Amino acid sequence: MTSAGPTAPTARRSPLLIQLGGLYGIWLREVKRAIRDRGQLIGGISRPILWVLILGIGLNPYFRGEVYGEVTFVVPFTYLQFIFPAVVALNIMFTSVQSAVSVIWDREFGFLREVLVSPMSRGMVLLGKVLGGATVAVFHGCLVLLLARFADVPLTWLDVLKALGLMAMLAFALTSLGVVIANRIRSFEGFGVFSNAVILPLYFTSSSIFPIDPSLSRAQTRVVYPDWLVTIVEYNPLTYAVDALRGVLINYNQFDPRLGIAIMAIFGVVLFAIALFDFRRA
Amino acid sequence: MTGAPNSGSAIHVDALSKRYGRTLALDGVSFDVGDNELFALLGPNGAGKTTLMHILCTILRPDSGVALIGGFDVVKQPLAARRRLGIVFQEPSLDDRLTVHENLNLHGLVFGVPRKLRRQRIEEMLALVELTEWADKRARTLSSGMKRRLEIARALIHDSEIMLLDEPTAGLDAQTRDRIWSYIGRLRNERQITVLVTTHYIEEVEGFDRVCVVDHGKVLALDTPEALKRDCGQQLLRIVPKGEDNRQEILTRYADRLAGEAGESILLTSDDAFVEALLAEYGGRIRSLAIEVPSLETVFLSLTGRELRDQAAGARESTLAFGKRGGEHTR
């Protein structure tokens, strides 16, 4: 035991290098797993098609107001254009939470234990997991971007690059959220519970499928829409993320775009910190 | 002692206790495992073996007591201890969606094994457990015996000096079990390695250097298999009386000799004179009688007063079953 013999090659490596290598390993595992999960991939492709092509095209004619016979859009965009950035967010949301929830399976099927007895720090294990999930989520978000031309959303490379940045932030925050939820769950009843209890309510109340008319004042808005709905939308952090994405993709903002970036950054850090706190304790 | 390990024993356990609610899972367990030793923890399910294993592999904190792995305290220096450990858990912990090779590679990455050495080790270890041809198959396609072999290979990818195997052969057929023991034997010839195994298969520990019998969180005996048989091995008499009244009579008459009850049969400590005396008196009232010569089995019985019990399914198993039924996004 005291002889240096076989331990030498590993012992000589710097601890940081070891942690980074492990981070890469865990990230790679997450990505590989997701690529091999057909169900997840099918969902990632069919969801945007349904939302953009079916719902978007179907509701397109109704997304306008008629004043004295003159047709105007509530916002200066077609419904298809309006909903497009939100569908990007939706696809990211589903995939992020789905990856994060696999923490439960890692726990049940012992994989987690295998990494917890490694020299990797807990923080790095969690970071690898969250980054992996976020990477897959951004990839699924990109699947939506491919539909841009069908939604009449012209994109420059710079737009795409900016959007990727925002998508990455959103994916990181949402994956952390998923891990926080997964850590608090002892037995798992299926992903449907998550999609119905977390993802869809967040999505529907984020001003993603209907705009809160920016031309109206705060008081007028509360006349047009019920008070509680406006309140929920305003308190939903996802509202600001979708808004920031909309700013980049179709150049339309209901709020200050910097607000979206700030909120995503804060939520990303806070949720990751909570996830890490739970993870360390478990 | 900051960096340098205490020389001497590979595993040092001193007065280790762990309580779960009102149950005392470990009650002041102490033992030492020497370098390069093949050491068995033998005990029925629920004896505290797995708790002890979890403490040794640093994922559970003991309430009191000290555990050292290669001289490193598992509570104070867990990372240093982990680097020396190769662990095979009781439950499978492979990633089913990754291939055999990817599983090993991931382990190598996580344990910081440099690329060149990683490749070489993976090849060697796959050869050792005879899974080379399966390297590119998904882990889910392996049989449970092959998965176990893969887990053993995995535990050896990094510079593990001490292997902890928690029930490595549970639920496997006899042939696979033999193979696993032969791998471990071969390994000990090639590499300096200490092996601590928990098991409840008594016949498997005959070839071990030392055996530690535990039950109810306590060490009952610790010695070589031969010495255990010599010292604690008590000849036992297994009798099945005819009818309940005879049974009661024998039980009251030989209460001081009672070593245990298993189903219908009664186990009594015995010697040749006792057998004759018993037969003379109850010969006609006994349905069957067997003399059990000292073996590890009888050592175990006389120490714990019972046979090995089975495990009940808990909440974990039911969630696992959900996954196996095809629960979403599991594998």
Side-chain angles (χ1 to χ4, degrees):
Chain A
M1 216 56 47
T2 38
S3 72
T7 56
T10 315
R12 248 190 276 121
R13 299 186 85 196
S14 83
L16 183 70
L17 212 64
I18 294 177
Q19 297 286 327
L20 285 180
L23 183 73
Y24 166 71
I26 293 172
W27 175 84
L28 190 67
R29 165 192 183 251
E30 288 298 315
V31 172
K32 276 187 175 157
R33 276 178 71 89
I35 290 169
R36 287 172 193 173
D37 184 357
R38 286 258 179 76
Q40 207 180 358
L41 205 62
I42 290 170
I45 294 171
S46 74
R47 216 173 297 121
I49 290 179
L50 283 176
W51 280 88
V52 172
L53 297 189
I54 311 295
L55 195 85
I57 292 176
L59 287 179
N60 217 8
Y62 301 95
F63 194 62
R64 57 191 182 184
E66 267 188 48
V67 185
Y68 306 115
E70 197 181 323
V71 175
T72 54
F73 287 101
V74 178
V75 292
F77 294 97
T78 67
Y79 188 56
L80 211 49
Q81 289 168 328
F82 178 78
I83 202 179
F84 182 76
V87 178
V88 175
L90 177 72
N91 231 22
I92 289 177
M93 199 163 14
F94 261 98
T95 315
S96 297
V97 175
Q98 205 163 314
S99 313
V101 164
S102 69
V103 165
I104 296 177
W105 296 116
D106 287 351
R107 198 166 59 207
E108 293 304 329
F109 290 103
F111 171 78
L112 202 58
R113 197 174 281 169
E114 146 77 7
V115 282
L116 289 188
V117 296
S118 75
M120 291 275 293
S121 74
R122 300 264 165 124
M124 279 300 199
V125 171
L126 185 67
L127 189 63
K129 179 106 195 139
V130 171
L131 284 181
T135 305
V136 180
V138 168
F139 167 71
H140 278 205
C142 291
L143 290 178
V144 185
L145 289 185
L146 293 180
L147 294 175
R149 41 182 311 184
F150 296 102
D152 287 323
V153 177
L155 287 179
T156 66
W157 284 111
L158 187 66
D159 291 341
V160 173
L161 222 59
K162 278 192 209 160
L164 279 176
L166 292 176
M167 283 154 69
M169 286 174 80
L170 178 64
F172 185 86
L174 287 169
T175 311
S176 302
L177 172 70
V179 174
V180 170
I181 298 171
N183 273 333
R184 284 173 163 65
I185 289 182
R186 285 291 134 216
S187 78
F188 187 43
E189 303 301 335
F191 185 70
V193 181
F194 280 89
S195 111
N196 290 326
V198 180
I199 300 177
L200 290 179
L202 264 180
Y203 175 65
F204 284 129
T205 60
S206 66
S207 181
S208 50
I209 52 168
F210 55 87
I212 292 207
D213 196 336
S215 62
L216 302 176
S217 71
R218 217 181 151 81
Q220 284 171 318
T221 307
R222 287 180 187 265
V223 173
V224 176
Y225 289 102
D227 206 21
W228 57 266
L229 186 59
V230 179
T231 310
I232 293 175
V233 171
E234 279 176 355
Y235 277 97
N236 184 348
L238 195 65
T239 303
Y240 304 93
V242 170
D243 193 62
L245 211 51
R246 215 170 251 150
V248 168
L249 290 176
I250 63 172
N251 208 9
Y252 167 68
N253 278 107
Q254 298 180 73
F255 307 94
D256 190 333
R258 282 171 301 180
L259 199 58
I261 296 175
I263 286 177
M264 278 193 277
I266 292 168
F267 268 81
V269 171
V270 169
L271 287 169
F272 186 80
I274 297 174
L276 186 60
F277 177 76
D278 291 349
F279 203 62
R280 283 229 172 101
R281 218 180 26 174
Chain B
M1 39 160 278
T2 44
N6 289 348
S7 55
S9 54
I11 302 173
H12 171 75
V13 173
D14 189 26
L16 217 53
S17 293
K18 178 78 190 173
R19 182 182 285 279
Y20 292 114
R22 294 179 64 188
T23 3
L24 202 54
L26 287 179
D27 186 6
V29 170
S30 305
F31 61 82
D32 277 88
V33 182
D35 280 348
N36 220 18
E37 194 174 358
L38 184 57
F39 189 92
L41 273 175
L42 184 67
N45 286 319
K49 291 178 304 207
T50 297
T51 305
L52 182 58
M53 275 299 197
H54 284 178
I55 290 174
L56 288 180
C57 62
T58 74
I59 56 176
L60 196 67
R61 294 173 76 100
D63 294 339
S64 63
V66 181
L68 304 180
I69 294 289
F72 293 100
D73 190 308
V74 296
V75 178
K76 290 180 199 132
Q77 296 154 292
L79 293 188
R82 284 178 202 161
R83 225 167 274 139
R84 282 156 184 83
L85 285 174
I87 301 164
V88 177
F89 288 110
Q90 194 169 354
E91 300 95 10
S93 61
L94 294 167
D95 192 317
D96 274 12
R97 253 189 244 163
L98 297 185
T99 66
V100 168
H101 188 276
E102 284 167 343
N103 263 297
L104 297 179
N105 195 44
L106 172 65
H107 181 91
L109 275 169
V110 165
F111 275 82
V113 182
R115 182 200 296 256
K116 213 171 153 196
L117 184 66
R118 202 160 70 217
R119 272 203 204 130
Q120 180 201 334
R121 283 266 172 84
I122 290 175
E123 219 162 280
E124 281 171 20
M125 290 309 142
L126 279 177
L128 173 78
V129 299
E130 301 170 281
L131 285 175
T132 308
E133 286 154 44
W134 293 77
D136 293 321
K137 296 276 192 303
R138 300 272 170 89
R140 70 201 299 178
T141 60
L142 303 185
S143 70
S144 54
M146 288 159 101
K147 282 184 183 164
R148 233 332 104 87
R149 279 149 59 191
L150 176 55
E151 283 177 314
I152 291 173
R154 186 176 64 176
L156 296 162
I157 294 293
H158 62 288
D159 306 315
S160 37
E161 298 159 0
I162 299 160
M163 256 190 117
L164 303 180
L165 300 110
D166 197 0
E167 303 273 356
T169 54
L172 300 179
D173 59 84
Q175 198 194 349
T176 315
R177 275 156 59 181
D178 285 349
R179 267 169 110 170
I180 284 177
W181 293 120
S182 82
Y183 299 145
I184 291 171
R186 210 180 310 159
L187 185 78
R188 290 203 330 135
N189 292 333
E190 290 169 8
R191 189 160 152 179
Q192 284 279 102
I193 198 154
T194 308
V195 183
L196 172 67
V197 179
T198 74
T199 182
H200 61 262
Y201 292 117
I202 290 178
E203 66 278 11
E204 287 182 344
V205 302
E206 296 276 357
F208 277 59
D209 295 335
R210 280 194 303 158
V211 177
C212 177
V213 180
V214 288
D215 196 15
H216 296 303
K218 282 199 171 104
V219 174
L220 299 177
L222 171 58
D223 220 325
T224 61
E226 294 70 34
L228 280 177
K229 275 189 266 186
R230 194 180 55 233
D231 301 342
C232 317
Q234 171 72 48
Q235 184 179 318
L236 288 176
L237 195 60
R238 187 189 284 271
I239 49 178
V240 181
K242 286 178 183 163
E244 191 54 32
D245 45 337
N246 286 323
R247 180 189 169 84
Q248 287 309 328
E249 197 179 327
I250 292 173
L251 278 176
T252 33
R253 172 85 191 263
Y254 297 114
D256 52 331
R257 283 182 175 271
L258 188 66
E261 286 179 78
E264 275 196 306
S265 56
I266 300 172
L267 283 158
L268 300 173
T269 54
S270 94
D271 50 56
D272 293 347
F274 175 70
V275 175
E276 267 176 41
L278 183 117
L279 278 178
E281 197 161 344
Y282 293 99
R285 289 186 270 170
I286 288 171
R287 192 179 302 137
S288 82
L289 173 145
I291 296 170
E292 302 198 345
V293 290
S295 65
L296 280 174
E297 192 96 35
T298 60
V299 169
F300 191 81
L301 271 170
S302 60
L303 283 171
T304 65
R306 62 201 169 129
E307 302 194 55
L308 298 156
R309 46 172 192 261
D310 276 323
Q311 220 167 0
R316 210 188 151 272
E317 280 73 18
S318 50
T319 310
L320 216 67
F322 172 78
K324 293 221 169 97
R325 283 199 307 274
E328 288 140 276
H329 315 298
T330 51
R331 13 196 69 204

